mmCIF file with all atom_site columns, all heavy atoms in Angstrom:
data_model
loop_
_atom_site.group_PDB
_atom_site.id
_atom_site.type_symbol
_atom_site.label_atom_id
_atom_site.label_alt_id
_atom_site.label_comp_id
_atom_site.label_asym_id
_atom_site.label_entity_id
_atom_site.label_seq_id
_atom_site.pdbx_PDB_ins_code
_atom_site.Cartn_x
_atom_site.Cartn_y
_atom_site.Cartn_z
_atom_site.occupancy
_atom_site.B_iso_or_equiv
_atom_site.pdbx_formal_charge
_atom_site.auth_seq_id
_atom_site.auth_comp_id
_atom_site.auth_asym_id
_atom_site.auth_atom_id
_atom_site.pdbx_PDB_model_num
ATOM 1  N N   . GLU A 1 156 ? 149.701 -15.195 249.140 1.00 45.00 ? 156 GLU A N   1
ATOM 2  C CA  . GLU A 1 156 ? 148.921 -13.972 249.218 1.00 45.00 ? 156 GLU A CA  1
ATOM 3  C C   . GLU A 1 156 ? 147.609 -14.134 249.973 1.00 45.00 ? 156 GLU A C   1
ATOM 4  O O   . GLU A 1 156 ? 146.953 -13.166 250.269 1.00 45.00 ? 156 GLU A O   1
ATOM 5  C CB  . GLU A 1 156 ? 148.601 -13.465 247.810 1.00 45.00 ? 156 GLU A CB  1
ATOM 6  C CG  . GLU A 1 156 ? 149.810 -13.014 247.056 1.00 45.00 ? 156 GLU A CG  1
ATOM 7  C CD  . GLU A 1 156 ? 149.471 -12.602 245.649 1.00 45.00 ? 156 GLU A CD  1
ATOM 8  O OE1 . GLU A 1 156 ? 148.740 -13.328 244.971 1.00 45.00 ? 156 GLU A OE1 1
ATOM 9  O OE2 . GLU A 1 156 ? 149.943 -11.537 245.238 1.00 45.00 ? 156 GLU A OE2 1
ATOM 10 N N   . THR A 1 157 ? 147.205 -15.368 250.251 1.00 44.00 ? 157 THR A N   1
ATOM 11 C CA  . THR A 1 157 ? 145.928 -15.595 250.898 1.00 44.00 ? 157 THR A CA  1
ATOM 12 C C   . THR A 1 157 ? 145.981 -15.142 252.346 1.00 44.00 ? 157 THR A C   1
ATOM 13 O O   . THR A 1 157 ? 146.847 -15.587 253.099 1.00 44.00 ? 157 THR A O   1
ATOM 14 C CB  . THR A 1 157 ? 145.549 -17.091 250.827 1.00 44.00 ? 157 THR A CB  1
ATOM 15 O OG1 . THR A 1 157 ? 145.537 -17.469 249.462 1.00 44.00 ? 157 THR A OG1 1
ATOM 16 C CG2 . THR A 1 157 ? 144.188 -17.333 251.449 1.00 44.00 ? 157 THR A CG2 1
ATOM 17 N N   . PRO A 1 158 ? 145.061 -14.257 252.753 1.00 49.00 ? 158 PRO A N   1
ATOM 18 C CA  . PRO A 1 158 ? 145.073 -13.805 254.143 1.00 49.00 ? 158 PRO A CA  1
ATOM 19 C C   . PRO A 1 158 ? 144.892 -14.983 255.096 1.00 49.00 ? 158 PRO A C   1
ATOM 20 O O   . PRO A 1 158 ? 144.061 -15.842 254.873 1.00 49.00 ? 158 PRO A O   1
ATOM 21 C CB  . PRO A 1 158 ? 143.871 -12.859 254.219 1.00 49.00 ? 158 PRO A CB  1
ATOM 22 C CG  . PRO A 1 158 ? 143.602 -12.459 252.814 1.00 49.00 ? 158 PRO A CG  1
ATOM 23 C CD  . PRO A 1 158 ? 144.029 -13.616 251.962 1.00 49.00 ? 158 PRO A CD  1
ATOM 24 N N   . GLY A 1 159 ? 145.687 -15.021 256.131 1.00 46.00 ? 159 GLY A N   1
ATOM 25 C CA  . GLY A 1 159 ? 145.590 -16.083 257.115 1.00 46.00 ? 159 GLY A CA  1
ATOM 26 C C   . GLY A 1 159 ? 146.444 -17.294 256.807 1.00 46.00 ? 159 GLY A C   1
ATOM 27 O O   . GLY A 1 159 ? 146.640 -18.151 257.661 1.00 46.00 ? 159 GLY A O   1
ATOM 28 N N   . ALA A 1 160 ? 146.962 -17.380 255.580 1.00 41.00 ? 160 ALA A N   1
ATOM 29 C CA  . ALA A 1 160 ? 147.777 -18.549 255.239 1.00 41.00 ? 160 ALA A CA  1
ATOM 30 C C   . ALA A 1 160 ? 149.071 -18.548 256.039 1.00 41.00 ? 160 ALA A C   1
ATOM 31 O O   . ALA A 1 160 ? 149.589 -19.601 256.379 1.00 41.00 ? 160 ALA A O   1
ATOM 32 C CB  . ALA A 1 160 ? 148.087 -18.575 253.746 1.00 41.00 ? 160 ALA A CB  1
ATOM 33 N N   . GLY A 1 161 ? 149.566 -17.364 256.362 1.00 45.00 ? 161 GLY A N   1
ATOM 34 C CA  . GLY A 1 161 ? 150.787 -17.276 257.158 1.00 45.00 ? 161 GLY A CA  1
ATOM 35 C C   . GLY A 1 161 ? 150.606 -17.895 258.526 1.00 45.00 ? 161 GLY A C   1
ATOM 36 O O   . GLY A 1 161 ? 151.532 -18.481 259.087 1.00 45.00 ? 161 GLY A O   1
ATOM 37 N N   . ALA A 1 162 ? 149.396 -17.799 259.076 1.00 46.00 ? 162 ALA A N   1
ATOM 38 C CA  . ALA A 1 162 ? 149.135 -18.388 260.390 1.00 46.00 ? 162 ALA A CA  1
ATOM 39 C C   . ALA A 1 162 ? 149.285 -19.899 260.345 1.00 46.00 ? 162 ALA A C   1
ATOM 40 O O   . ALA A 1 162 ? 149.745 -20.515 261.312 1.00 46.00 ? 162 ALA A O   1
ATOM 41 C CB  . ALA A 1 162 ? 147.737 -18.010 260.870 1.00 46.00 ? 162 ALA A CB  1
ATOM 42 N N   . LEU A 1 163 ? 148.916 -20.511 259.232 1.00 43.00 ? 163 LEU A N   1
ATOM 43 C CA  . LEU A 1 163 ? 149.060 -21.956 259.106 1.00 43.00 ? 163 LEU A CA  1
ATOM 44 C C   . LEU A 1 163 ? 150.532 -22.364 259.137 1.00 43.00 ? 163 LEU A C   1
ATOM 45 O O   . LEU A 1 163 ? 150.905 -23.336 259.774 1.00 43.00 ? 163 LEU A O   1
ATOM 46 C CB  . LEU A 1 163 ? 148.425 -22.450 257.802 1.00 43.00 ? 163 LEU A CB  1
ATOM 47 C CG  . LEU A 1 163 ? 146.934 -22.266 257.663 1.00 43.00 ? 163 LEU A CG  1
ATOM 48 C CD1 . LEU A 1 163 ? 146.500 -22.654 256.263 1.00 43.00 ? 163 LEU A CD1 1
ATOM 49 C CD2 . LEU A 1 163 ? 146.201 -23.076 258.699 1.00 43.00 ? 163 LEU A CD2 1
ATOM 50 N N   . PHE A 1 164 ? 151.363 -21.608 258.441 1.00 43.00 ? 164 PHE A N   1
ATOM 51 C CA  . PHE A 1 164 ? 152.770 -21.939 258.358 1.00 43.00 ? 164 PHE A CA  1
ATOM 52 C C   . PHE A 1 164 ? 153.528 -21.555 259.625 1.00 43.00 ? 164 PHE A C   1
ATOM 53 O O   . PHE A 1 164 ? 154.519 -22.170 259.965 1.00 43.00 ? 164 PHE A O   1
ATOM 54 C CB  . PHE A 1 164 ? 153.417 -21.268 257.146 1.00 43.00 ? 164 PHE A CB  1
ATOM 55 C CG  . PHE A 1 164 ? 152.852 -21.764 255.861 1.00 43.00 ? 164 PHE A CG  1
ATOM 56 C CD1 . PHE A 1 164 ? 152.062 -20.946 255.077 1.00 43.00 ? 164 PHE A CD1 1
ATOM 57 C CD2 . PHE A 1 164 ? 153.078 -23.059 255.433 1.00 43.00 ? 164 PHE A CD2 1
ATOM 58 C CE1 . PHE A 1 164 ? 151.528 -21.399 253.904 1.00 43.00 ? 164 PHE A CE1 1
ATOM 59 C CE2 . PHE A 1 164 ? 152.542 -23.531 254.261 1.00 43.00 ? 164 PHE A CE2 1
ATOM 60 C CZ  . PHE A 1 164 ? 151.764 -22.700 253.487 1.00 43.00 ? 164 PHE A CZ  1
ATOM 61 N N   . ASN A 1 165 ? 153.051 -20.515 260.310 1.00 47.00 ? 165 ASN A N   1
ATOM 62 C CA  . ASN A 1 165 ? 153.744 -20.051 261.507 1.00 47.00 ? 165 ASN A CA  1
ATOM 63 C C   . ASN A 1 165 ? 153.225 -20.713 262.776 1.00 47.00 ? 165 ASN A C   1
ATOM 64 O O   . ASN A 1 165 ? 153.742 -20.462 263.855 1.00 47.00 ? 165 ASN A O   1
ATOM 65 C CB  . ASN A 1 165 ? 153.628 -18.530 261.634 1.00 47.00 ? 165 ASN A CB  1
ATOM 66 C CG  . ASN A 1 165 ? 154.378 -17.834 260.524 1.00 47.00 ? 165 ASN A CG  1
ATOM 67 O OD1 . ASN A 1 165 ? 155.386 -18.337 260.045 1.00 47.00 ? 165 ASN A OD1 1
ATOM 68 N ND2 . ASN A 1 165 ? 153.878 -16.695 260.099 1.00 47.00 ? 165 ASN A ND2 1
ATOM 69 N N   . ALA A 1 166 ? 152.204 -21.563 262.668 1.00 46.00 ? 166 ALA A N   1
ATOM 70 C CA  . ALA A 1 166 ? 151.647 -22.211 263.848 1.00 46.00 ? 166 ALA A CA  1
ATOM 71 C C   . ALA A 1 166 ? 152.686 -23.108 264.524 1.00 46.00 ? 166 ALA A C   1
ATOM 72 O O   . ALA A 1 166 ? 152.691 -23.251 265.752 1.00 46.00 ? 166 ALA A O   1
ATOM 73 C CB  . ALA A 1 166 ? 150.413 -23.034 263.471 1.00 46.00 ? 166 ALA A CB  1
ATOM 74 N N   . ALA A 1 167 ? 153.572 -23.677 263.746 1.00 45.00 ? 167 ALA A N   1
ATOM 75 C CA  . ALA A 1 167 ? 154.607 -24.550 264.302 1.00 45.00 ? 167 ALA A CA  1
ATOM 76 C C   . ALA A 1 167 ? 155.728 -23.747 264.957 1.00 45.00 ? 167 ALA A C   1
ATOM 77 O O   . ALA A 1 167 ? 156.540 -24.297 265.680 1.00 45.00 ? 167 ALA A O   1
ATOM 78 C CB  . ALA A 1 167 ? 155.181 -25.463 263.222 1.00 45.00 ? 167 ALA A CB  1
#
Side-chain angles (χ1 to χ4, degrees):
E156 293 177 314
T157 303
L163 296 173
F164 296 110
N165 293 329

